């Protein structure tokens, strides 16, 4: 490096001052970083790759600065979609839990017009988290992969499997689990005989048109969310129906015996 500096010195320059000047210039040239180039603005365009996108897309600006300047400005809906992609099971289960809880609160305060039973609400919410959410997520994941027929044929097949095969079994299992958790396992059979047929009929009245729209228009990864939006009304009904008292079965009146005089 000393020889390089000497060769760069003009003739007649003092050795001490010239060496220092050249060395300083050399060090500045080597160790001073060049200005970072400006990065372009990236647009998500027509979608985010999740079956239909997010409308006009989310714009992300990279400025190269520190702190929050380079972070994307995401709204709540976009964050929810990101969570559906990164943690689908947990996100859907928490969504089911929240909607179960809201449905039960509405049922207690508005439909039944009673004081809020916190224990009942907590039980109904826990069922959404630990029972409804995992089962619905697994079922609609299976259904989305199993039914590959396009158009109206696929919608009809999905509706038949969902409403004739899955729904009656799921509603019955939900009532049985809830009755057991509430400490009344002996009431499971009478409860199902009394309330399951009516619940299945109401289910078909609400869910057949709702699921037709769901299977026809909604991407597979958003079907649980679409189900839960309608389920807010359904949960109000299910909370009311599931907590109806089991009526005692009237005893059969023995037939009169003897000959008529």
């Amino acid at each position: 490096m000393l020889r390089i500096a000497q060769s760069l010195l003009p003739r007649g320059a003092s050795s001490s001052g010239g060496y220092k000047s050249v060395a300083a210039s050399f060090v500045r040239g080597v160790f001073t970083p060049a200005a970072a180039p400006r990065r372009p603005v990236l647009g998500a365009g027509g979608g985010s790759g999740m079956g239909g996108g997010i409308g006009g897309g989310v714009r992300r600006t990279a400025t190269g600065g520190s702190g929050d300047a380079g972070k994307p400005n995401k709204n709540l809906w976009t964050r929810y979609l990101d969570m559906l992609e990164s943690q689908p099971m947990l996100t859907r289960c928490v969504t089911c839990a929240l909607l179960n809880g809201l449905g039960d609160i509405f049922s207690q305060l508005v439909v039944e017009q009673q004081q809020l039973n916190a224990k009942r609400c907590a039980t109904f919410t826990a069922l959404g988290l630990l029972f409804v959410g995992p089962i619905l997520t697994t079922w609609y994941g299976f259904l989305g992969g199993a039914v590959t027929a396009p158009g109206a044929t696929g919608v009809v097949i999905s509706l038949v499997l969902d409403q004739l095969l899955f729904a009656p079994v799921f509603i019955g299992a939900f009532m049985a689990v809830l009755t057991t958790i509430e400490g009344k396992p002996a009431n499971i059979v009478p409860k199902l005989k009394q309330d399951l047929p009516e619940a299945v009929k109401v289910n078909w009245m609400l869910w057949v048109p709702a699921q037709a729209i769901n299977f026809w228009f909604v991407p597979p990864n958003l079907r649980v969310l679409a189900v839960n939006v309608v389920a807010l009304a359904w949960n109000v009904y299910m909370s009311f129906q599931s907590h109806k008292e089991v009526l005692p079965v009237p005893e059969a009146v023995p037939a009169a015996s003897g000959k008529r005089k």
Side-chain angles (χ1 to χ4, degrees), residues 131-144:
F131 182 80
V132 178
I135 290 179
L136 288 185
T137 300
T138 303
W139 167 248
Y140 288 113
F142 163 77
L143 202 60

Side-chain angles (χ1 to χ4, degrees), residues 60-218:
R60 303 176 183 179
T61 304
T63 61
S66 60
D68 296 333
K71 293 182 179 180
N73 184 17
K74 295 183 179 181
N75 56 30
L76 187 60
W77 173 247
T78 306
R79 292 177 182 177
Y80 182 80
L81 292 177
D82 289 344
M83 291 177 66
L84 278 176
E85 287 293 303
S86 61
Q87 296 179 318
M89 178 65 77
L90 177 61
T91 304
R92 289 162 180 163
C93 290
V94 172
T95 303
C96 286
L98 292 175
L99 291 173
N100 262 33
L102 289 174
D104 183 68
I105 291 173
F106 191 88
S107 176
Q108 290 191 53
L109 299 182
V110 179
V111 178
E112 302 169 56
Q113 296 184 349
Q114 65 177 32
Q115 289 186 344
L116 183 64
N117 185 330
K119 182 179 179 181
R120 165 180 156 177
C121 183
T123 301
F124 212 71
T125 302
L127 271 179
L129 178 67
L130 303 175
F131 182 80
V132 178
I135 290 179
L136 288 185
T137 300
T138 303
W139 167 248
Y140 288 113
F142 163 77
L143 202 60
V147 180
T148 58
T153 303
V155 173
V156 172
I157 295 174
S158 297
L159 276 175
V160 169
L161 293 176
D162 185 59
Q163 291 301 309
L164 295 183
L165 176 64
F166 175 74
V169 176
F170 176 72
I171 295 172
F174 181 86
M175 288 184 171
V177 171
L178 182 59
T179 303
T180 302
I181 292 176
E182 292 182 341
K184 304 173 184 177
N187 288 344
I188 291 178
V189 174
K191 180 69 176 176
L192 294 179
K193 289 182 178 179
Q194 173 182 293
D195 294 327
L196 181 59
E198 181 182 354
V200 171
K201 290 178 184 177
V202 175
N203 165 82
W204 286 339
M205 293 172 61
L206 174 66
W207 284 109
V208 168
Q211 289 291 61
I213 296 173
N214 190 23
F215 291 132
W216 189 273
F217 296 106
V218 181

Side-chain angles (χ1 to χ4, degrees), residues 187 190-191 194-195 244-250:
N187 288 344
K191 180 69 176 176
Q194 173 182 293
D195 294 327
K244 286 172 63 176
E245 292 293 332
V246 177
L247 301 177
V249 179

Side-chain angles (χ1 to χ4, degrees), residues 20-52:
K20 293 179 181 179
S21 175
V22 172
S25 300
F26 181 80
V27 170
R28 283 197 302 268
V30 172
F31 294 102
T32 301
R38 294 181 60 87
R39 297 178 64 183
V41 176
L42 303 179
S48 60
M50 292 185 290

